[in-house]
Amino acid sequence: MESRIPSHIAIIMDGNGRWAEKRGLPRTLGHKEGADVLRKIITYAGRIGVKYLTVYAFSTENWKRSKEEVDTLMFLFKTYLKNEEKNIMKNNVRFLVSGRKDGVRSSLLEAIEKLEDKSKDNTGLILNIAFNYGGRAEIIDAVNSILKLGIENIDEEKFSKYMYNDIPDPELLIRTSGEFRISNFLLWQIAYSEIYITDALWPDFDEKELDKAIQSYNERDRRFGGVKNA
Ligand code: FPP
């Protein structure tokens, strides 16, 4: 059977901490491993024709973790920006970030803006990193932007334009590490997404696991609230 590749895949990359703890390693090493897996998945997703990839790298709730863990996640993102710029440009990837700016160091914000700007005309995979992101915060921020502009008539299509990035909704949402939760991710955008949950911890996720998720998506019967063959 020919496989349809979802145009937009969103991933909750969960299980880094457990992966490390199982090996008697510090949680921070799980995140480092997770960042390496993310690099591989970005390349593979682009190669198989995924157009948009949104990944949950740091939530508005993650500030509650230890200073060491928060610092590691900030450091990994900064290192990613520095080391991957060349690859992003070579592979024609457009880099975007979705999230709030408050609390994020200005040097990191500057690096994000620089890469968003540099890659803005790239026409390959659109990589959207959810960083300092919360789904409720995104909806509230959209409402506030709309109020500020004094717009009175709003519908779903117009509302979507005020999300952090105006990109199509994901067809497929993947969560690793076997948890059946949304954890405040893309609350507006996943209204009709197919959800795939795997027991694999994020550092163990690979190209084959992504293929399995896409295969499962292909077996779904998407009706969007309608009736089959109506
Ligand atoms: C959830 O695992 C994962 C995170 C909170 C962070 C995800 C970040 C990465 C994969 C690295 C991102 C890197 C870049 C370059 C953007 P968890 O720590 O909640 O795992 P646990 O549930 O097993 O404790």
Side-chain angles (χ1 to χ4, degrees), residues 13-19 27 31 34-35 38 56-57 62 65 69 73 76-77 80 129 202:
M13 308 181 287
D14 194 16
N16 294 346
R18 269 163 289 168
W19 182 91
R27 294 174 55 82
H31 295 311
L38 176 59
Y56 207 1
N62 286 152
R65 297 192 175 195
E69 193 167 337
L73 288 165
L76 283 173
F77 193 25
Y80 175 83
I129 301 211
W202 177 251

Side-chain angles (χ1 to χ4, degrees), residues 200-217:
L201 304 174
W202 177 251
D204 292 325
F205 195 86
D206 59 11
E207 293 88 343
K208 275 205 182 107
E209 289 285 342
L210 186 59
D211 285 343
K212 270 200 259 172
I214 293 173
Q215 191 189 337
S216 167
Y217 167 79

